[in-house]
Amino acid sequence: MSAPRLEIRLDRIAHNARSLVARLTARGLSVTAVTKATLGLPQVAAVLAAAGVSGIGEPRIETLAALRRSGLTLPLTLIRSPMPSQVAQVVAQADISLNTEPAVLALLSAAAIDQDHRHGVVLMVELGDLREGILPERLEGIAAGLLRLPGLDLIGIGANLACQNGVVPSQASMAQLSSLATGLENRFGLVLPLVSGGNSANLPWLFAGGSPGRINNLRLGEALLLGREPLQRRPIPGLRTDAFRLVAEVIEANLKPTLPWGHCQQGAFGAPPTRVDRGERWRALLALGLQDVDAAGLTLPAGMTLLGASSDHLVLDTGSVAVAVGAELSFDLNYSALLRAMTSPFVARTLIEAPIQATAEGRQRLASNPAGVKA
């Protein structure tokens, strides 16, 4: 088989999705599955659909378009604020987009009229993490402007925490979002069907007994794919953390000194790390580099340590063990490593499939769209 390659266990992703959908449904929350770490891979989206997620979220128009072409019938959400240059594509490809800017909303309205579409809008609120979001005191005014725009439907509000500055979702922040939703409904005499409280970082708060209030949706990526919560990267009980494995091939194996020799300055990616003289050690050079993966996000085989990485090489200390040239080594990945490995055109993908066990809702979706299973 080709290397480097990502081995993707669809059955384990399906297990995580079924478990999380069941747990959140019991609390009155739906799941929008964020598939960006798999580049919106249609086969992954299909197993998530079968597991009962309510929609798919992606930050890029290209992946939304690919999901459209695959025949997926779930609602598609653009989870990054639309670029003004892409509003026509946003209306064409996404059912919903997350928004903060009145100027962009005006452009979306014009595009919706031009295409004779209605486009759903979720207004994102800033709750302290200082990435995207409307300051709470400006929300009512922006909502009033949106409601005057033809072709657009205000379907909800949302928030995002723990991505830019690691601000932890809390009962106070979720209560504030709930209050803002109720305030908009009372002010404008409408019903907001969607109050999206955040991402996988919300799960520790919720599972610890947090009260959802008006929160009825979460946008989950890392928890579904890797079975972990993002705040401390701890495994979520009952979920699989081994749905992805990266396999790379050894292209050199030698017994070499620990310390380099000669006058040293910067390497290809900055100053080299400080080395401690440990005598001669076995090293393995792998055909895998920073162009392919975030090396710091790999979990190495037992007894091996990472010595460094360049664009195209990974250097491992294998201790007293000589690894054969041509041997394959396997690594678990964190979210950052998975994202980059999926993005690299040099990393092959091997889908390890299993029979899809669909929820009742998932079976209904797949019956109406069987192409979505094997897109």
Side-chain angles (χ1 to χ4, degrees), residues 94-328:
D95 302 290
I96 303 164
S97 60
L98 310 186
N99 283 269
T100 63
E101 287 291 337
V104 175
L105 291 170
L107 293 172
L108 286 171
S109 173
I113 294 169
D114 185 60
Q115 297 179 36
D116 195 24
H117 278 5
R118 297 203 66 81
H119 182 71
V121 171
V122 173
L123 293 178
M124 295 297 284
V125 183
E126 178 62 76
L127 294 182
D129 202 50
L130 295 178
R131 200 179 69 178
E132 80 276 24
I134 300 163
L135 291 171
E137 58 268 24
R138 297 187 60 225
L139 179 62
E140 186 175 302
I142 291 176
L146 166 59
L147 291 170
R148 291 192 292 268
L149 291 172
L152 302 183
D153 296 316
L154 175 58
I155 65 168
I157 64 172
N160 191 66
L161 294 169
C163 277
Q164 181 68 27
N165 288 296
V167 174
V168 177
S170 66
Q171 189 61 52
S173 59
M174 294 301 100
Q176 182 182 13
L177 189 63
S178 294
S179 177
L180 289 168
T182 301
L184 285 182
E185 290 177 334
N186 292 338
R187 170 66 178 81
F188 297 109
L190 49 77
V191 175
L192 296 177
L194 189 70
V195 182
S196 188
N199 54 52
S200 296
N202 286 61
L203 294 176
W205 154 76
L206 186 67
F207 292 159
S211 174
R214 290 294 311 279
I215 310 302
N216 61 10
N217 173 266
L218 291 178
R219 308 177 305 278
L220 302 183
E222 185 164 355
L224 289 169
L225 300 176
L226 297 178
R228 297 180 182 272
E229 52 82 14
L231 297 174
Q232 300 184 54
R233 261 72 200 196
R234 291 175 178 169
I236 297 171
L239 300 190
R240 299 296 298 253
T241 61
D242 55 355
F244 297 85
R245 184 172 64 172
L246 181 63
V247 180
E249 187 173 345
V250 177
I251 57 174
E252 178 185 305
N254 278 300
L255 194 64
K256 291 189 177 183
T258 309
L259 297 179
W261 58 89
H263 177 63
C264 297
Q265 292 190 348
Q266 291 193 43
F269 291 88
T274 302
R275 303 292 189 199
V276 176
D277 191 354
R278 301 175 64 194
E280 289 191 330
R281 306 273 293 180
W282 280 100
R283 290 180 172 221
L285 193 66
L286 277 68
L288 183 75
L290 296 177
Q291 193 166 0
D292 308 304
V293 73
D294 177 3
L298 297 175
T299 300
L300 274 57
M304 299 185 187
T305 56
L306 177 65
L307 295 176
S310 60
S311 302
D312 315 297
H313 298 87
L314 203 67
V315 186
L316 304 184
D317 180 333
T318 63
S320 58
V321 178
V323 180
V325 172
E328 292 187 337

Side-chain angles (χ1 to χ4, degrees), residues 341-352:
M342 281 294 300
T343 305
S344 172
F346 309 111
V347 177
R349 303 167 192 168
T350 299
L351 296 172
I352 302 172

